[in-house]
């Protein structure tokens, strides 16, 4: 059996470094990767989300994390949303919050009611 080739999308330092590891180390790496993926895929705690975020219970197919609906301000000081009154804010919009490299990040999904949900 021939040694498998790494995926072309794998960073060079991993593609070159992993085959140099002994089997025991590879098992430890495999275990760590599993735990890391599990950590990143878990839903975020409510204290990690913006105050205006409301959790949405329906799963979103393109990723893991927590999907929320939010009303937002546009950043234009002359817009009525600048008052901060929730009723004057834009949206609601859907966002997915997830962990990446130890940081909470968000991904815009779309406007609520646009046929996505």
């Amino acid at each position: 059996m021939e040694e498998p080739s790494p995926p072309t999308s794998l960073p060079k330092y991993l593609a070159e470094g992993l085959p140099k590891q002994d089997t025991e180390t590879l098992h430890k790496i495999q275990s760590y990767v599993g735990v890391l993926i599990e950590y990143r895929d878990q839903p975020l705690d409510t204290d990690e989300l913006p105050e205006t975020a409301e959790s949405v219970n329906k799963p979103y197919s393109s990723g893991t994390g927590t999907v929320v609906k939010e009303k937002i301000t546009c950043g234009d000081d002359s817009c009525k949303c600048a008052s901060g009154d929730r009723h004057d804010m834009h949206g609601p919009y859907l966002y997915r919050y997830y962990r990446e490299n130890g940081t909470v990040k968000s991904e815009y999904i779309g406007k609520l009611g646009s046929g996505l949900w």
Side-chain angles (χ1 to χ4, degrees), residues 35-45 48 64-66 97-99:
V35 171
L36 184 59
I37 289 170
E38 187 177 315
Y39 167 76
R40 289 186 179 182
D41 286 353
Q42 71 184 341
L44 277 69
D45 293 329
E48 296 177 278
T64 55
T66 303
Y97 283 85
Y98 59 97
R99 289 183 185 85

Side-chain angles (χ1 to χ4, degrees), residues 7-8 11 22 29 37 39 49-50 57-59 61 67 78-80 82 90 100 102 112:
T8 56
D22 60 49
I29 291 168
I37 289 170
Y39 167 76
L49 300 170
N57 292 328
K58 190 172 180 181
S61 61
V67 176
S78 65
C79 183
K80 67 180 181 176
H90 303 282
E100 185 175 285
L112 192 61

Side-chain angles (χ1 to χ4, degrees), residues 44 48-50 52-75 86 89-98 104-114 116-117:
L44 277 69
E48 296 177 278
L49 300 170
T52 57
E54 293 180 42
S55 185
V56 175
N57 292 328
K58 190 172 180 181
Y60 179 61
S61 61
S62 81
T64 55
T66 303
V67 176
V68 299
K69 63 180 178 178
E70 279 187 81
K71 288 192 141 199
I72 62 166
T73 58
C74 65
R86 188 156 168 68
M89 296 171 86
H90 303 282
Y93 299 102
L94 295 172
Y95 289 89
R96 178 177 69 94
Y97 283 85
Y98 59 97
V104 174
K105 296 192 174 191
S106 66
E107 169 192 30
Y108 172 75
I109 298 173
K111 185 165 175 62
L112 192 61
S114 64
L116 291 171
W117 294 62

